[in-house]
Amino acid sequence: KQWYQRRVRVRRSKVFENTDPTRWCAIGKSNPASTFEEKKGVIRVKEYEQTVAFQRTESGIGTKVFLYYFDNPGGALPTWVINWAAKTGVPQFMTSLEKACASYKK
């Protein structure tokens, strides 16, 4: 497994339903009251927040995506990890998100 696959987040998530069918929002946050046991060799991310909002464009042809993400790994990250995230990890995530949005059934 890659180094970033040996992490786990215990979280609570909520998807908000809106009367406006052109907007959706989902919020995820770490759950400090978790009863799941920690595993050796796996980093538990204890501080985590994510908010994602989707909004159909005015033309109805595309979708605007707003993303806020915070992940505290609980220690200093080596420079190579920061560089990997900036150059590879985040762009790959955004590409996969774009593909997922494009393949979503109307």
Side-chain angles (χ1 to χ4, degrees), residues 38-105:
E38 294 191 34
K39 293 183 179 181
K40 185 178 179 178
V42 177
I43 298 168
R44 165 130 343 149
V45 177
K46 295 181 180 178
E47 290 182 80
Y48 163 82
E49 290 182 40
Q50 180 178 358
T51 302
V52 184
F54 300 91
Q55 180 179 351
R56 186 180 303 149
T57 59
E58 291 178 12
S59 67
I61 295 173
T63 303
K64 295 178 186 178
V65 178
F66 304 90
L67 173 66
Y68 166 78
Y69 182 86
F70 170 78
D71 189 338
N72 182 355
L77 295 175
T79 302
W80 70 267
V81 172
I82 295 167
N83 291 338
W84 174 88
K87 294 177 184 176
T88 306
V90 173
Q92 282 179 356
F93 173 78
M94 296 307 289
T95 299
S96 67
L97 181 59
E98 182 179 16
K99 286 179 182 178
C101 288
S103 66
Y104 188 77
K105 294 180 182 180

Side-chain angles (χ1 to χ4, degrees), residues 2-34:
Q2 297 287 336
W3 65 269
Y4 55 85
Q5 293 174 320
R6 293 188 304 266
R7 297 182 305 160
V8 65
R9 292 173 195 83
V10 179
R11 66 180 182 203
R12 296 175 287 193
S13 297
K14 181 168 183 162
V15 175
F16 292 91
E17 294 188 21
N18 191 341
T19 56
D20 181 349
T22 65
R23 294 182 181 149
W24 303 268
C25 182
I27 296 175
K29 193 170 188 175
S30 54
N31 185 0
S34 169

